């Protein structure tokens, strides 16, 4: 193999095992996703998000009494410190909510710092319980001038997050859809944001710094930001025919279609089957006659033209939209879920740590004589 080919294959570290994990397998035989050995389809159909959070953070599915205690514990951690609310109130309404998540996490780290690594499970629970409040407190204050209570009587995190966003008790159907969505978004092996968390963790930095790195990495449209970009795309079209033509034109211009393709899966994203069913269900429930058919037309066009399949972000977009979630809160909701996977990886990294520091293949100029500034032409 030529030297150039080797570099190309390693671009983006695709296919390289960059470490070991007992948390998740993803992409085995081109598809497949397991959290700690449990198939994602089964977890999405049978477990609540809190059960999955417990599984990821503590290693095993909880018993009924462990689950009840865990749900109660998370409910007790929802209130935000006054100083954090003050900072959130100073972030302009024009900010992207992902900047708010990053800042909120960072600020909480100054108020409730990690003094030693013995409290890492507590910090994971705290962030899990607090992220929906950080998102919604800022959103209602900055965009609508209202100070909302970040404590709701919704028992589950899905219901709590949705209640906070909508400002009212959500429909049971929407609560269920949100719960499944959080299960699907919770964990995905060495994806870019989790890898960023592990790199920061491996320097023996603190919990909040590592999670802040994860949030910043998730924000980009090639990763978590794709759910918002997918919504913007879907909303551009008013009919399936227009969508098919529009997407073909975009592909002809070599534009990327957000919500399609994947760095690991080569056949399909197993999470898509589940989220697409929910999108369809919510479309029927809301009487939608445009967004879902447009989404399917984009899916068909992408498959026919490029053999590219939707990833989790594509049908998550319409699913969230049908629930009434504003588009720029889609990626923050991803944070509310992925904090579980990030925290699990952080703790796994700490348990068997070595600084992550790969080499680079140098492709710059060979060694050359230094030219004093007066002689540079
Ligand atoms: C939850 C998540 O984070 S899932 C990922 C969310 N991100 C997106 O949906 C963004 C859109 N998708 C993409 O950009 C890519 O598919 C990625 C980044 C997810 C994975 O990309 P990679 O493994 O690096 O593949 P890469 O970008 O090299 O694509 C391979 C080929 O398919 C094309 N391709 C891949 N995805 C897309 C897409 N969404 N739209 C159009 N073309 C695409 C590339 O242009 C490239 O074509 P070429 O060989 O002619 O240059
Ligand atoms: O694994 C990836 O590259 C992206 C992804 O699907 C995720 O993080 O859920």
């Amino acid at each position: 193999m030529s030297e150039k080919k080797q570099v190309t294959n390693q671009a983006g570290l695709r296919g390289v095992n960059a470490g070991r994990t007992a948390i998740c397998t993803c992409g085995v035989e081109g598809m497949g996703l397991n959290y700690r050995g449990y198939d994602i389809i089964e977890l999405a159909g049978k477990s609540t998000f809190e059960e999955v959070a417990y599984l990821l953070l503590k290693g095993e599915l909880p018993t009924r009494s462990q689950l009840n205690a865990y749900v109660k514990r998370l409910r007790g951690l929802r209130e935000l410190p006054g100083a954090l609310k003050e900072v959130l109130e100073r972030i302009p309404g024009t900010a992207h909510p992902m900047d708010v998540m990053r800042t909120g996490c960072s600020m909480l780290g100054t108020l409730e710092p990690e003094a030693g690594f013995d409290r890492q499970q507590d910090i994971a629970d705290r962030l899990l319980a607090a992220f929906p409040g950080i998102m919604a407190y800022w959103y209602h204050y900055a965009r609508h001038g209202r100070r909302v209570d970040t404590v709701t009587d919704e028992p589950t995190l899905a219901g709590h997050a949705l209640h906070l966003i909508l400002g009212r008790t959500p429909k049971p159907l929407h609560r269920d859809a949100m719960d499944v969505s959080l299960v699907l978004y919770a964990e995905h092996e060495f994806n870019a944001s989790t890898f960023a968390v592990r790199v920061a963790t491996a320097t023996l930095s603190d919990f909040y710094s590592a999670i802040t790195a994860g949030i910043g990495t998730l924000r980009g449209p090639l990763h978590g930001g794709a759910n918002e970009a997918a919504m913007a795309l879907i909303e551009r079209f008013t009919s399936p025919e227009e969508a098919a033509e529009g997407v073909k034109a975009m592909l002809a211009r070599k534009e990327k279609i957000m919500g399609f393709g994947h760095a690991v899966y080569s056949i399909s994203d197993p999470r898509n089957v589940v989220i697409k069913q929910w999108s369809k269900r919510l479309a029927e429930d809301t009487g939608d006659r445009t967004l879902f058919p447009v989404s399917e037309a984009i899916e068909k066009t992408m498959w026919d033209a490029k053999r590219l399949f939707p990833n989790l972000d594509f049908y998550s977009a319409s699913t969230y939209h049908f629930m009434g979630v504003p588009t720029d809160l889609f990626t923050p909701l991803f944070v509310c879920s992925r904090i579980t996977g990030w925290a699990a990886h952080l703790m796994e990294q700490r348990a068997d740590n070595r600084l992550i520091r790969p080499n680079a293949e140098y492709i710059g100029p060979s060694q050359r004589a230094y030219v004093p500034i007066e002689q540079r032409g």
Side-chain angles (χ1 to χ4, degrees):
M1 192 188 291
S2 76
E3 214 171 285
K4 185 163 183 293
K5 187 80 181 166
Q6 258 178 25
V7 176
T8 313
N9 283 347
Q10 285 178 357
L13 298 178
R14 211 64 83 248
V16 173
N17 274 344
R20 305 174 74 193
T21 185
I23 302 168
C24 175
T25 59
C26 131
V28 176
E29 290 177 16
M31 47 192 302
L33 171 60
N34 288 267
Y35 296 171
R36 295 200 185 274
Y38 295 106
D39 190 285
I40 189 64
I41 304 297
E42 233 178 337
L43 289 173
K46 298 178 183 165
S47 278
T48 62
F49 175 60
E50 278 77 2
E51 279 179 81
V52 168
Y54 191 101
L55 170 70
L56 291 171
L57 294 170
K58 299 176 197 303
E60 294 297 337
L61 283 169
T63 61
R64 172 65 58 198
S65 66
Q66 285 170 329
L67 178 64
N68 290 344
Y70 192 51
V71 168
K72 190 168 170 218
R73 171 172 166 70
L74 292 178
R75 286 184 69 171
L77 294 171
R78 290 173 178 174
E79 184 61 278
L80 304 183
L84 172 53
K85 289 183 186 166
E86 279 170 34
V87 165
L88 293 173
E89 287 183 15
R90 297 181 73 116
I91 302 176
T94 50
H96 191 283
M98 282 298 277
D99 298 343
V100 176
M101 302 304 270
R102 194 188 60 223
T103 305
C105 176
S106 190
M107 181 63 187
L108 196 62
T110 69
L111 299 170
E112 301 171 8
E114 184 176 38
F117 291 174
D118 52 327
R119 283 196 54 243
Q120 55 187 11
Q121 285 274 0
D122 293 342
I123 297 175
D125 292 347
R126 174 66 165 140
L127 284 172
L128 177 57
F131 270 138
I134 291 174
M135 167 181 70
Y137 186 84
W138 168 81
Y139 175 77
H140 290 293
Y141 184 82
R143 300 268 171 92
H144 307 290
R146 280 192 297 121
R147 287 190 174 92
V148 295
D149 187 355
T150 59
V151 178
T152 69
D153 54 12
E154 297 281 342
T156 68
L157 205 123
H160 174 60
L162 207 44
H163 191 140
L164 283 177
I165 292 170
L166 302 175
R168 57 175 158 75
T169 305
K171 286 167 75 160
L173 181 70
H174 291 180
R175 219 187 260 127
D176 291 347
M178 179 60 74
D179 194 73
V180 171
S181 150
L182 297 178
V183 169
L184 297 176
Y185 268 133
E187 161 57 11
H188 217 241
E189 199 222 33
F190 276 20
N191 61 85
S193 56
T194 300
F195 197 62
V197 168
R198 288 191 81 128
V199 170
T201 302
T203 69
L204 301 184
S205 187
D206 72 294
F207 205 113
Y208 300 91
S209 297
I211 300 303
T212 303
I215 296 171
T217 310
L218 187 72
R219 188 188 195 290
L222 293 191
H223 191 12
N227 54 15
E228 296 179 16
M231 192 67 227
L233 174 77
I234 297 162
E235 281 184 316
R236 272 163 57 176
F237 306 116
T238 54
S239 70
E241 297 72 25
E242 196 185 309
E245 288 312 310
V247 167
K248 278 185 209 156
M250 288 174 77
L251 290 176
R253 293 193 299 270
K254 301 250 175 271
E255 287 177 39
K256 275 207 163 167
I257 309 300
M258 296 308 172
F260 284 84
H262 201 272
V264 176
Y265 298 123
S266 54
I267 299 166
S268 67
D269 181 337
R271 302 166 296 182
N272 177 59
V273 181
V274 181
I275 201 66
K276 184 176 175 183
Q277 280 167 0
W278 276 98
S279 174
K280 188 166 193 283
R281 231 172 125 178
L282 298 197
E284 283 161 7
D285 182 64
T286 54
D288 165 75
R289 289 182 196 283
T290 309
L291 289 178
F292 190 78
V294 160
S295 303
E296 281 201 307
I298 297 174
E299 181 181 0
K300 181 171 181 334
T301 308
M302 286 301 284
W303 184 254
D304 292 347
K306 300 275 287 183
R307 289 288 177 265
L308 282 172
F309 50 85
N311 56 53
L312 172 59
D313 278 333
F314 188 67
Y315 282 101
S316 296
S318 47
T319 305
Y320 285 163
H321 181 88
F322 292 137
M323 289 181 214
V325 177
T327 302
D328 63 357
L329 296 187
F330 290 4
T331 319
L333 278 170
F334 194 156
V335 172
C336 293
S337 164
R338 186 56 61 88
I339 176 60
T340 55
W342 289 336
H345 279 273
L346 177 152
M347 293 189 277
E348 187 179 62
Q349 181 67 37
R350 282 181 176 174
D352 185 16
N353 190 54
R354 191 166 189 210
L355 183 77
I356 298 172
R357 201 300 187 191
N359 291 341
E361 181 174 330
Y362 180 65
I363 55 164
S366 48
Q367 187 146 5
R368 45 190 173 157
Y370 179 81
V371 182
I373 194 162
E374 301 75 26
Q375 294 169 24
R376 285 175 215 156

